[in-house]
Amino acid sequence: MLRVEYAAGMPRSGAAARDRLERAALELYDEQGYDRTTAADIAVRAGVTARTFFRHFADKREVLFHIEADLQDEMSRALAAVPDDVPPLAVMLQAFRSMGPGLEANRRLAEARHRVIAATPALRERELAKAAGMAAVVAEALRARGQSEWRATLFAEVGTAVLGHAVHAWAGDPSADYDDLVVRGFAALRELAEPRPA
Amino acid sequence: MLRVEYAAGMPRSGAAARDRLERAALELYDEQGYDRTTAADIAVRAGVTARTFFRHFADKREVLFHIEADLQDEMSRALAAVPDDVPPLAVMLQAFRSMGPGLEANRRLAEARHRVIAATPALRERELAKAAGMAAVVAEALRARGQSEWRATLFAEVGTAVLGHAVHAWAGDPSADYDDLVVRGFAALRELAEPRPA
């Protein structure tokens, strides 16, 4: 059965089907709007059955957000890779910058995702919840580096605010450079905290 | 009809009924949980009709969040009251500190609200959306003070991250002092941005 599907050009592996469903969903959300798209529409466009859709995603909303779990794992690894003696701001800056190549490689998907979420108020709350999940990952890493609970959560919330601002600007502007936005964001944070006389 | 209600100890004015509904809702959410409480239960506890409940609130969730609109108005006024030549970080610090007396006056409600939201995952996304609304109010004030769109939104997101961290710690600990937490949060932000040699 799997062989027949594969021979007919259908995605064979779970990951390939998932990627195809994700692309199909983003195309349809762009073309006809999120509200008017059903899980069945997405399955048809991806060339899989509705059952395959529901094996990968709980509902059409989760197609947009499953990537966050991967990003959180990647962030966790990036934070762990920063040497021990680096202070918290630089830990975050180095880890956030190291996420750049992975994000740039998926830029078209990120832009499509950004458009759908911006156009659909009901999705924005979910997006904010996922940002809170990323802050928890960063806080965990800062605690592991010896920061107190109070400082780890505060620094993580500030750092992910700067990160979120950069990602938002990047996904909303095809000419923007992620790395440049992250570096500029952290430089502006320093200026905010210690304003220099004009 | 209104006179009879008033004579029987029922709240006469709209604002009094709203406050009574809010207190009744928080009591019930604490006693029996958010999920098991209905709008009708809240109206009975508050001594008003269900119709009065729905004149004030769209649903039982909004009882927890209507206060945010008042807080945003108050924040907007607090930001406007800071003198013109103050730099952005100090604008936020002064405005946030000036919110203290109003928050401390409603401390018991804030604590009850905090407990309900912490115990009810579905409410946390809504809470995060309201935090984003507060960041938009701060960004608007910073734009009005001549900051670019990019800097106004970045600074506002960083500042409200510090504010949110302080409010969360304050509402979760009856012995915590709001003003102290805000001042310490901004001091830690300065340290994060410009670490001093140990």
Side-chain angles (χ1 to χ4, degrees):
Chain A
M1 197 52 183
L2 273 173
R3 251 194 109 187
V4 172
E5 278 188 14
Y6 186 59
M10 306 286 269
R12 187 179 180 186
S13 79
R18 200 185 69 166
D19 286 355
R20 194 189 270 231
L21 282 162
E22 187 180 10
R23 279 164 208 277
L26 286 165
E27 281 171 23
L28 288 166
Y29 296 163
D30 248 0
E31 288 168 21
Q32 63 190 40
Y34 174 80
D35 289 334
R36 263 178 298 197
T37 301
T38 65
D41 295 339
I42 297 167
V44 168
R45 174 71 63 102
V48 301
T49 62
R51 198 169 148 182
T52 298
F53 178 94
F54 289 111
R55 203 155 56 222
H56 290 284
F57 301 108
D59 55 40
K60 68 176 183 173
R61 195 175 73 152
E62 286 315 299
V63 185
L64 293 166
F65 295 106
H66 86 278
I67 193 177
E68 296 292 334
D70 295 345
L71 285 175
Q72 287 180 16
D73 289 346
E74 208 184 307
M75 179 67 81
S76 198
R77 283 191 298 273
L79 289 158
V82 178
D84 278 350
D85 55 347
V86 173
L89 188 82
V91 169
M92 293 191 283
L93 178 56
Q94 287 181 33
F96 297 172
R97 292 185 74 180
S98 77
M99 304 281 284
L103 289 169
E104 293 287 5
N106 290 293
R107 166 158 217 141
R108 287 221 327 248
L109 283 176
E111 287 170 7
R113 208 172 153 274
H114 177 83
R115 278 194 299 275
V116 174
I117 294 171
T120 315
L123 296 173
R124 274 191 239 129
E125 292 194 6
R126 178 80 176 143
E127 174 80 345
L128 292 164
K130 289 292 184 173
M134 190 62 94
V137 167
V138 177
E140 174 59 36
L142 295 177
R143 266 194 300 271
R145 286 169 183 271
Q147 296 292 327
S148 69
E149 172 67 23
W150 186 82
R151 292 165 72 89
T153 51
L154 177 65
F155 292 171
E157 279 159 31
V158 167
T160 53
V162 177
L163 175 66
H165 189 263
V167 169
H168 189 82
W170 169 73
D173 174 2
S175 71
D177 180 71
Y178 168 83
D179 191 62
D180 177 54
L181 284 163
V182 170
V183 169
R184 278 173 55 210
F186 275 76
L189 177 61
R190 284 206 160 95
E191 253 181 82
L192 173 69
E194 296 277 338
R196 306 265 172 261
Chain B
M1 194 54 181
L2 273 172
R3 253 199 105 184
V4 171
E5 278 186 15
Y6 185 60
M10 307 287 267
R12 187 178 180 187
S13 80
R18 199 184 71 166
D19 286 355
R20 193 188 270 233
L21 282 162
E22 187 179 10
R23 279 164 208 276
L26 287 165
E27 281 172 21
L28 288 167
Y29 296 163
D30 249 359
E31 287 168 22
Q32 64 189 40
Y34 174 79
D35 289 334
R36 263 179 298 199
T37 301
T38 65
D41 296 339
I42 298 167
V44 168
R45 174 71 62 102
V48 302
T49 62
R51 195 167 151 184
T52 297
F53 178 95
F54 289 111
R55 203 155 56 221
H56 289 284
F57 301 108
D59 54 41
K60 68 175 182 173
R61 194 174 76 152
E62 285 315 299
V63 184
L64 293 165
F65 295 106
H66 87 278
I67 193 177
E68 295 291 334
D70 294 346
L71 285 175
Q72 287 181 15
D73 289 347
E74 207 185 307
M75 179 66 82
S76 197
R77 283 191 298 272
L79 289 158
V82 178
D84 278 350
D85 54 349
V86 173
L89 189 82
V91 168
M92 293 191 283
L93 178 56
Q94 287 182 35
F96 297 173
R97 292 185 74 180
S98 77
M99 304 282 284
L103 289 169
E104 294 286 6
N106 290 294
R107 166 159 216 141
R108 288 221 328 249
L109 284 177
E111 286 170 6
R113 210 174 151 271
H114 178 81
R115 280 194 299 274
V116 175
I117 294 172
T120 315
L123 295 173
R124 274 192 238 130
E125 292 195 6
R126 178 79 176 145
E127 173 82 344
L128 292 164
K130 289 293 185 173
M134 189 62 95
V137 166
V138 176
E140 174 59 37
L142 295 177
R143 268 193 298 273
R145 285 168 184 272
Q147 296 292 329
S148 69
E149 173 67 23
W150 186 83
R151 293 165 72 89
T153 52
L154 178 65
F155 292 171
E157 279 159 31
V158 167
T160 53
V162 178
L163 175 67
H165 189 264
V167 169
H168 189 82
W170 169 74
D173 174 2
S175 72
D177 180 71
Y178 168 83
D179 191 62
D180 177 53
L181 284 163
V182 170
V183 169
R184 279 172 55 210
F186 275 76
L189 176 62
R190 284 206 161 96
E191 254 182 81
L192 173 70
E194 296 275 338
R196 306 265 172 262

